[in-house]
Amino acid sequence: MTSSALDSLPTLFPRLMPVRQWDLLTAVAAQSYTPSPPPLVGIVQTDSGVAYRALGATDDAGLFYLLPKLVAFLNLPLNVVWALWFFGLLVLTLVVGIYSTVRLLQSPSAKALYLIELVVLTVLIVKVGDVYQLAPCLALVGVPLALQYFSKPIDEKRFRIGMAALVAAGVIFGWAHLIRAHSATAVLLFIGTLLLCATQIAWPKRGLLLAALIIGFVLPQVYMKPVFDARDSFLQARVGYRSIARQHPFWHSVYIGFGYLSNEYGLAYRDEVAEKKVREIAPDAEYCSPEYEAALRKAVIDLVRQDYRFVVQTLLAKSGILLISLCIAANIGLIAAIRRPKSWEIELAFGLAIGFSALPGILVMVRPPYILGFFAFAMLYGVFSLDAALQRTQVASSLAS
């Protein structure tokens, strides 16, 4: 891939990273060949013939699997299908999220605050674009629906509905995870916490509900395994491809994330910084292979041992920015939560979801694409905290009178 090739890509709106654009174009191009290669195999026309490339080798595999199929089914250009995909998910999120949240909120003030903040968050989601929309969209829909379901006693009918709904939700979360790694994890933590702690049914049934959610989540992973295997076998037979870890690189991101502050170690948030370090430690390690990740894990450990003050300072700096962001997103809801806290189960569910959503900012980089989910959970926490406090205040005033 060359810069000139990237510059020649059609402009996709909403924003999509050039690398993802390129991979999607190669996936669509592969569908026009006869016989066409398996899914997740891209084709690039070169001067010497056809070159194959693995798609979704470390992450985003769901995007490279589903979007080309939509292109073929709708018979539309990639940029049009991507726009339909992005705005279709966003509109569906807003419709379901607004309906369920406004129904759940009791205070007009909380409803007004929610709608105002939702406009701001929606603008931010559109501006950031890419696959980063998934985490906030899942939060905006999953949180109010979960609160609504688990806030009432669960009889046999609601239990059966819950089983079916949790399987469906798990499937959605599983595909979201395949499209953007861990985009659904915070919502899973939120729902799982409410399920185990706030559900008003016997423990065996809680276990069945949790199992339904997990089974739904695993189904897309099981479905995609033979797709991955077919891709790897095809490429191995033709270009000697070696399968690497089918997960988003962790230590790569953590290592370059220490470039958040100015430093004397040459650290910066650029992929080539991590690659250069790996060449020093393990020259033969392939990009994003287990050996590659092991080398960067060693580099992070060595950095902690060499200058733990710098490491702590960097983590505290990121945490401070996130704390300010939390105060902005949750605003008066934080004061309401301190003065009139909600039930411990709901506080715990929000705490785990917000904490997990903050990890990409703390461990990697405090940038809007990585913390959109954090913004969404913080906003919802503030809105529901304000609503709960106003309801309690109203009840207290009624009893006093």
Side-chain angles (χ1 to χ4, degrees), residues 144-160:
L145 289 178
L147 289 174
Q148 194 169 41
Y149 179 79
F150 293 117
S151 64
K152 300 177 182 178
I154 300 177
D155 54 20
E156 283 300 319
K157 181 180 179 181
R158 283 177 61 82
F159 174 75
R160 291 193 296 270

Side-chain angles (χ1 to χ4, degrees), residues 271-323:
D271 291 336
E272 55 266 29
V273 171
E275 294 180 51
K276 179 181 178 182
K277 189 65 179 180
V278 172
R279 298 286 77 84
E280 297 174 3
I281 301 174
D284 298 328
E286 295 184 24
Y287 183 70
C288 290
S289 65
E291 295 80 11
Y292 181 96
E293 280 282 275
L296 288 174
R297 179 182 60 198
K298 180 181 184 303
V300 171
I301 294 173
D302 290 344
L303 180 64
V304 173
R305 290 173 176 170
Q306 179 182 354
D307 194 348
Y308 72 90
R309 289 187 178 88
F310 166 72
V311 171
V312 172
Q313 183 182 12
T314 302
L315 296 178
L316 288 177
K318 296 178 185 179
S319 301
I321 298 299
L322 286 170
L323 181 59

Side-chain angles (χ1 to χ4, degrees), residues 2-13:
T2 65
S3 59
S4 60
L6 289 178
D7 292 340
S8 69
L9 295 179
T11 300
L12 299 184
F13 179 79

Side-chain angles (χ1 to χ4, degrees), residues 74-218:
L74 299 175
N75 195 26
L76 292 172
L78 175 61
N79 56 346
V80 175
V81 172
W82 166 245
L84 291 174
W85 168 281
F86 184 92
F87 285 113
L89 289 177
L90 184 59
V91 170
L92 181 62
T93 293
L94 294 176
V95 170
V96 177
I98 291 173
Y99 176 77
S100 54
T101 303
V102 170
R103 282 191 62 191
L104 196 59
L105 296 173
Q106 300 297 315
S107 167
S109 298
K111 293 179 182 179
L113 178 63
Y114 165 74
L115 293 174
I116 292 171
E117 293 185 337
L118 184 62
V119 171
V120 176
L121 182 60
T122 301
V123 171
L124 186 59
I125 290 173
V126 173
K127 183 177 180 180
V128 170
D130 217 296
V131 295
Y132 305 113
Q133 73 167 149
L134 285 175
C137 285
L138 291 174
L140 290 172
V141 172
V143 167
L145 289 178
L147 289 174
Q148 194 169 41
Y149 179 79
F150 293 117
S151 64
K152 300 177 182 178
I154 300 177
D155 54 20
E156 283 300 319
K157 181 180 179 181
R158 283 177 61 82
F159 174 75
R160 291 193 296 270
I161 293 174
M163 287 284 291
L166 287 172
V167 171
V171 170
I172 293 171
F173 297 156
W175 277 111
H177 180 74
L178 286 167
I179 295 171
R180 175 62 183 172
H182 293 294
S183 58
T185 305
V187 183
L188 284 168
L189 286 172
F190 184 88
I191 295 175
T193 302
L194 291 182
L195 197 157
L196 293 176
C197 301
T199 311
Q200 301 176 35
I201 55 174
W203 276 101
K205 288 189 174 181
R206 297 188 197 190
L208 290 175
L209 290 173
L210 182 60
L213 181 63
I214 295 174
I215 289 172
F217 181 82
V218 170

